[in-house]
Amino acid sequence: ASGGLAYGGVKASTNVNVDVAGSCPAVNAFCSIGSLSGTRVGWTLGGGVESIIAGNWTARIDYLYFDLGRESYPIVSTVTFGPGGTEVMRADAKFSGHIVRAGLNYRF
């Protein structure tokens, strides 16, 4: 079993493109974008097994789950007239995942 601190770089982006009045982003009030990036800290938990397969050779498999939390970021209008850059909604991103590793080892 293993567990502890996890950290990593994260990126999320959202593009809303409803092509009603023209092409985005120049003339369409329905087009919006948002993004975030940075380094996040969270936790990890997992486990694995290792077994002798022949002589000094072993094989292993490990699994880790990591969770770097959630974050909300603004989605802003890209329209160049009127309220350009105005927040029109928010997006939520969850940064978590699964890692499976396999290995073959020789013990001296």
Side-chain angles (χ1 to χ4, degrees):
S2 62
L5 179 73
Y7 72 95
V10 299
K11 291 182 182 180
S13 65
T14 302
N15 295 313
V16 179
N17 181 357
V18 181
D19 197 9
V20 174
S23 61
C24 285
V27 296
N28 192 339
F30 296 104
C31 297
S32 305
I33 59 172
S35 66
L36 72 85
S37 64
T39 302
R40 305 226 2 130
V41 176
W43 58 271
T44 185
L45 186 63
V49 294
E50 183 172 5
S51 179
I52 296 173
I53 55 175
N56 289 347
W57 290 95
T58 64
R60 68 168 201 190
I61 189 162
D62 300 319
Y63 167 79
L64 287 172
Y65 174 79
F66 66 90
D67 189 334
L68 300 176
R70 297 175 178 265
E71 190 159 344
S72 178
Y73 59 96
I75 307 299
V76 297
S77 173
T78 60
V79 67
T80 56
F81 58 88
T86 301
E87 182 177 326
V88 293
M89 66 183 87
R90 294 193 69 78
D92 295 318
K94 179 174 169 50
F95 303 105
S96 63
H98 307 272
I99 300 171
V100 176
R101 300 180 292 193
L104 183 63
N105 306 306
Y106 182 81
R107 296 181 186 246
F108 295 98

